[in-house]
Amino acid sequence: MLTGLNHLTLAVTDLNRSVVFYRDLLQLRLDATWDVGAYLSLPGVWLCLSLDPLRNPAPAADYTHYAFSIGTADFAVFVERLRAAGVQEWRDNRSEGASFYFLDPDGHKLEAHVGDLASRLAACRQRPYAGMQFVGDRHVEPKNLR
């Protein structure tokens, strides 16, 4: 049985540039480096940067992205630091809780989000998405997941 998210591995084209971005700008802790990679971390998540010169840095057109938690008190300062550094934004926030959507130097889609699953579900109970069903409320068989 799975017990949680173990780590994320991101292919990068310039390891030093990416280490600087994640360590200095996003303030992840740098734990180890080697010729073609680095480990950085935050409480509860470990990030592996893996050098891949063949990576296409153009951001994917889909909504796949990686979201980091941030406290309300830190959100505005964080967003200002990234904007001042010229970090590219890729989406406006359309959901509950403050969010800042941005790209890393290799075009990986990232998000800094204030809130958690409980706050998202509470907001969705007030304004559910089209066709949304809450599985814990009563026996619900999710559509198309039989």
Side-chain angles (χ1 to χ4, degrees):
M1 173 182 275
L2 299 177
T3 59
L5 182 62
N6 188 278
H7 69 278
L8 302 173
T9 297
L10 301 178
V12 301
T13 57
D14 182 327
L15 184 61
N16 290 332
R17 177 186 66 183
S18 293
V19 166
V20 167
F21 179 85
Y22 283 95
R23 181 194 62 204
D24 297 349
L25 197 55
L26 300 191
Q27 299 182 333
L28 276 71
R29 185 179 76 208
L30 180 62
D31 296 298
T33 63
W34 61 98
D35 291 348
V36 295
Y39 290 144
L40 298 101
S41 63
L42 291 168
V45 68
W46 138 40
L47 176 67
C48 174
L49 301 178
S50 180
L51 185 61
D52 183 352
L54 300 179
R55 171 161 168 71
N56 178 356
D62 64 27
Y63 185 61
T64 301
H65 66 282
Y66 310 101
F68 296 98
S69 295
I70 189 165
T72 304
D74 298 322
F75 184 77
V77 171
F78 178 84
V79 170
E80 180 54 38
R81 182 172 65 243
L82 269 60
R83 285 182 173 153
V87 171
Q88 183 180 345
E89 297 178 48
W90 64 273
R91 181 185 175 107
D92 291 328
N93 186 23
R94 301 177 191 152
S95 63
E96 155 278 331
S99 282
F100 182 68
Y101 297 86
F102 59 100
L103 299 177
D104 82 351
D106 281 281
H108 294 288
K109 292 179 177 180
L110 306 174
E111 174 188 3
H113 179 70
V114 175
D116 56 16
L117 180 58
S119 62
R120 175 63 51 86
L121 290 174
C124 287
R125 288 182 194 291
Q126 298 298 314
R127 295 187 59 199
Y129 306 144
M132 188 171 217
Q133 299 177 359
F134 297 95
V135 177
D137 296 344
R138 60 186 191 289
H139 178 71
V140 174
E141 184 68 27
K143 296 176 183 176
N144 302 321
L145 295 179
R146 293 183 177 84

